[in-house]
Amino acid sequence: MAHVRLFANLRELAGTSSVELSGATVGEVLALADAEFGEAFATGVAHSKVWLNGEPAAASDEVTESDEIAVIPPVSGGQAARIEEARSIIWVVAAAVVLAGVNSFASAPVFAAALVGITAVWAVDVWRETREGGLELQLAPVLAAVTVGAVAALGAPGAADRFSGFGIVLAFSVIGLLAWAVIVPESRDLTVVGVTLTVQLLAGFAVASLVMLRIGDGGAKIVGVFLIQVIVAGLATTIASRLAIPYLDPYVAGAAGAVAAGLVAAFVWDLSILAYLLVGAVVALALIAGRGFGAMCRTGEVYLVDRPPGLLSDFDGPVMAAAIFLPILLLVS
């Protein structure tokens, strides 16, 4: 019997993230799944990408008991998928708006606490999706790295100390994960270690980056530029996906919106236009790269065409962009 993994709305329609089905070929296995889970499920499968052991699959490909079939619906795979996509982008924009308000009207520690909370919720979403896909991502070390990122950042107010904050996150993540592996046997798998450490560093660096910027000179303005980029990128992505503009991928539209928003905000707040043009370009690339990283964590496959599963998968790009925002800004300033 082949192991079939289901994602996004297919998982909801089937009521499970995986199922064991017999069949000599991929087509036979999927036909059995269609018969078991109903017409709406079959319609979703017809619009989905199918992978066999990590490679694109054809209906005629033969399968054995040790094979794994992954069925990943595209963004346009149905109303449920479109609703999930819109909901995720709305959460991104809402989180950025909340952080923008806290950034403008509250102290740095309050901003750090809000950022830790939002990043922790994103980490839980990644953890949930990886577990649905059979990967035992270790949540506790990731949440600890998020907290350490904020604490280390608040203790590094000087420009010379800023990279030391990243060093603390790196050291804690590596040592903490090794210690965790001693306590939790299932965390010793090399794939689990690699994915967990990557998510630890990404989340911890993202928090440290924005908090260290916030406590520096003119920090509220600089953090504001980043948050405006995220908000505009989310709105541009949503608009482009709804209008279905030819030759304009929604996520490319979002990246272009991030660059434009950064330039306008820098001009309004009298910041270096050239510096923020370069920073904006890197942020735009990080928004796209983060999506590929999120797909890898959530599904085990790296792809940019279809939206990865998860309520907060559109946070993946902003988290990666936040992680590199401070280093890039320091390099170009």
Side-chain angles (χ1 to χ4, degrees), residues 8-331:
N9 62 314
L10 292 180
R11 181 180 63 206
E12 305 301 328
L13 291 169
T16 181
S17 62
S18 62
V19 63
E20 302 288 336
L21 294 170
S22 60
T25 65
V26 170
E28 290 182 10
V29 172
L30 295 183
L32 289 173
D34 292 345
E36 181 171 345
F37 299 123
E39 183 178 350
F41 178 88
T43 300
V45 171
H47 291 86
S48 299
K49 287 191 173 182
V50 180
W51 302 78
L52 177 61
N53 300 326
E55 299 291 337
S60 59
D61 289 344
E62 296 182 356
V63 296
T64 65
E65 292 184 358
S66 61
D67 289 331
E68 180 180 80
I69 299 172
V71 189
I72 306 173
V75 171
S76 58
Q79 183 66 19
R82 288 194 292 271
I83 292 174
E84 184 176 347
E85 176 203 12
R87 189 177 298 164
S88 178
I89 295 176
I90 288 171
W91 276 111
V92 172
V93 173
V97 169
V98 169
L99 285 176
V102 175
N103 176 55
S104 300
F105 301 109
S107 63
V110 174
F111 173 77
L115 185 60
V116 166
I118 290 173
T119 308
V121 172
W122 168 78
V124 170
D125 185 67
V126 175
W127 168 76
R128 176 180 177 274
E129 293 300 329
T130 57
R131 289 183 68 86
E132 292 286 354
L135 176 64
E136 294 291 333
L137 173 71
Q138 302 300 294
L139 180 61
V142 175
L143 296 180
V146 170
T147 304
V148 168
V151 174
L154 290 172
D161 297 327
R162 285 178 172 172
F163 279 112
S164 68
F166 288 110
I168 292 172
V169 173
L170 173 61
F172 175 84
S173 297
V174 173
I175 296 172
L177 186 57
L178 291 176
W180 185 258
V182 174
I183 301 172
V184 182
E186 57 264 30
S187 67
R188 299 170 190 170
D189 180 83
L190 289 180
T191 301
V192 173
V193 170
V195 173
T196 301
L197 181 60
T198 303
V199 176
Q200 277 183 288
L201 295 178
L202 192 64
F205 287 172
V207 172
S209 178
L210 294 186
V211 174
M212 283 189 284
L213 281 172
R214 178 62 175 78
I215 62 179
D217 294 336
K221 289 183 179 180
I222 298 173
V223 172
V225 172
F226 175 78
L227 294 174
I228 289 172
Q229 288 179 304
V230 172
I231 293 170
V232 173
L235 293 175
T237 300
T238 303
I239 293 171
S241 63
R242 293 298 173 269
L243 296 180
I245 301 173
Y247 308 109
L248 181 61
D249 179 86
Y251 291 90
V252 173
V259 174
L263 289 176
V264 172
F267 176 78
V268 171
W269 283 327
D270 196 26
L271 300 171
S272 171
I273 299 296
L274 178 59
Y276 279 91
L277 174 61
L278 297 174
V279 170
V282 175
V283 167
L285 291 174
L287 290 173
I288 297 174
R291 187 174 178 225
F293 168 78
M296 180 193 72
C297 290
R298 297 166 187 271
T299 69
E301 306 291 342
V302 178
Y303 57 90
L304 295 175
V305 177
D306 300 329
R307 179 181 171 274
L311 178 60
L312 303 180
S313 64
D314 285 292
F315 275 67
D316 300 344
V319 170
M320 179 169 285
I324 67 170
F325 192 70
L326 172 59
I328 295 300
L329 189 58
L330 291 177
L331 287 175

